[in-house]
Amino acid sequence: MNPLRTRRATVAVAAAVVLSFTSAGFAHGAAGGVLRDDGGKITIGIKFDQPGIGLKTPDGKYTGFDVDVATYVAKQLGHDPKDIEWKEAKSADRETLLQRGDVDFIAASYSITPKRMEKVDFAGPYLLAHQDVLIRADDNSIKKPSDLNNKKLCSVTGSTSAQNVKTKIAPNAQLQEYGGYSECLTGLENGVIDAITTDDSILAGYASQPEFKGKFKLGGFKLSNENYGIGVQKGSELKAKINKALEKMVADGSWQAAVDKNFGPAGYKNEPAPKIGVVVQ
């Protein structure tokens, strides 16, 4: 066998492998922790319909606590705000978006649970919320969790909130699952729904909107602990990088500033910043 021909063949094969990895590896999403390399862009999943958490405004802007956290994290990963492509991550779609590589990471009121950890990894937690209910301001029939029995209780498809209530607190509650919390809110306002259940941070965001001032109130029930994490693909190196970014956000005061900015107007009493890697049961 000609040694020179062998060496040339080896170099050609190696070059082809490198070219294949470069064209394919950097085009997909977060698998293996590799971000997209298309002009510095990064794709982040957030909620589009949760005031105070993740909201796409009529003029095309994005606001909320999760948006601020995600923007900070992206900057620590080397991406300016203009590099961010925001993608809607509905509750029922979050694992699929990550597994397909449609997004690099998700910050969308995404509670860390054992079932979800079988499919994706989580950085964080970065916020400890509690499940609560939102009811009409003039409704005096729901004063304690068990009063939800025989009431029409709304949550969104894919959320664990309503199931928690029916399984553990009010087995006779009538569950209504809608595509988004804004739909639940319309039902509550019109009297079709008696209560909405999800995290207190999300409910406080809705209750604080100017158009709903005085119409709704929080039940004040701490029905569960919800540890918000940032979802990444299983095995992604991004998890460690995002954790470092979150630790820095807390240390330099940016985390508390984001809490005050997004939840302060509603008088939301937030928990202190959680320790990274510590999930409160």
Side-chain angles (χ1 to χ4, degrees):
M1 183 177 289
N2 188 325
L4 180 58
R5 182 177 297 172
T6 302
R7 284 197 298 272
R8 286 173 178 170
T10 302
V11 170
V13 171
V17 170
V18 170
L19 180 60
S20 175
F21 176 81
T22 302
S23 62
F26 286 88
H28 64 67
V34 180
L35 291 175
R36 290 173 173 79
D37 189 25
D38 51 357
K41 297 295 183 182
I42 182 172
T43 303
I44 303 173
I46 58 169
K47 291 295 180 66
F48 278 12
D49 65 345
Q50 292 182 352
I53 298 289
L55 180 69
K56 182 178 181 180
T57 62
D59 58 357
K61 295 180 180 179
Y62 301 90
T63 64
F65 181 70
D66 282 351
V67 174
D68 290 343
V69 170
T71 301
Y72 186 98
V73 168
K75 188 172 183 179
Q76 296 305 306
L77 294 175
H79 299 269
D80 291 330
K82 63 181 176 59
D83 297 329
I84 300 174
E85 177 186 343
W86 300 107
K87 189 175 184 68
E88 185 174 20
K90 293 183 178 181
S91 295
D93 300 334
R94 291 176 294 202
E95 285 84 35
T96 302
L97 289 171
L98 288 169
Q99 291 172 332
R100 288 194 316 217
D102 293 343
V103 294
D104 292 297
F105 66 81
I106 288 179
S109 53
Y110 203 1
S111 297
I112 302 172
T113 68
K115 185 176 180 180
R116 290 170 178 165
M117 290 174 67
E118 294 175 1
K119 299 179 179 179
V120 301
D121 282 345
F122 286 96
Y126 64 93
L127 183 72
L128 176 59
H130 303 285
Q131 186 182 344
D132 200 354
V133 296
L134 188 70
I135 58 180
R136 289 182 292 278
D138 60 355
D139 187 348
N140 296 314
S141 66
I142 302 175
K143 297 181 179 179
K144 57 185 183 297
S146 61
D147 291 336
L148 294 170
N149 276 308
N150 301 312
K151 297 291 187 179
K152 293 179 181 177
L153 182 66
C154 188
S155 193
V156 301
T157 305
S159 172
T160 59
S161 299
Q163 288 297 336
N164 286 342
V165 171
K166 188 167 181 64
T167 301
K168 304 174 183 177
I169 299 165
N172 294 323
Q174 301 174 37
L175 297 188
Q176 308 285 328
E177 290 189 325
Y178 290 175
Y181 289 111
S182 56
E183 297 172 45
C184 286
L185 199 69
T186 300
L188 182 63
E189 186 176 19
N190 295 336
V192 177
I193 298 298
D194 297 311
I196 305 172
T197 183
T198 187
D199 305 344
D200 51 8
S201 55
I202 298 171
L203 297 174
Y206 279 118
S208 67
Q209 297 305 291
E211 64 268 32
F212 299 129
K213 186 175 181 181
K215 291 185 177 181
F216 308 117
K217 62 183 178 183
L218 287 166
F221 312 145
K222 291 187 176 183
L223 302 177
S224 68
N225 293 322
E226 304 296 333
N227 299 267
Y228 286 5
I230 292 181
V232 298
Q233 273 194 357
K234 201 75 176 171
S236 174
E237 296 175 2
L238 279 179
K239 177 179 176 179
K241 296 177 182 179
I242 293 173
N243 278 337
K244 288 183 179 179
L246 292 174
E247 288 173 345
K248 183 176 180 181
M249 187 177 187
V250 172
D252 68 15
S254 298
W255 182 88
Q256 188 60 53
V259 169
D260 294 341
K261 169 188 169 185
N262 293 290
F263 301 135
Y268 172 66
K269 305 298 182 183
N270 66 282
E271 300 279 3
K275 272 185 94 171
I276 300 298
V278 178
V279 176
V280 179
Q281 301 298 326

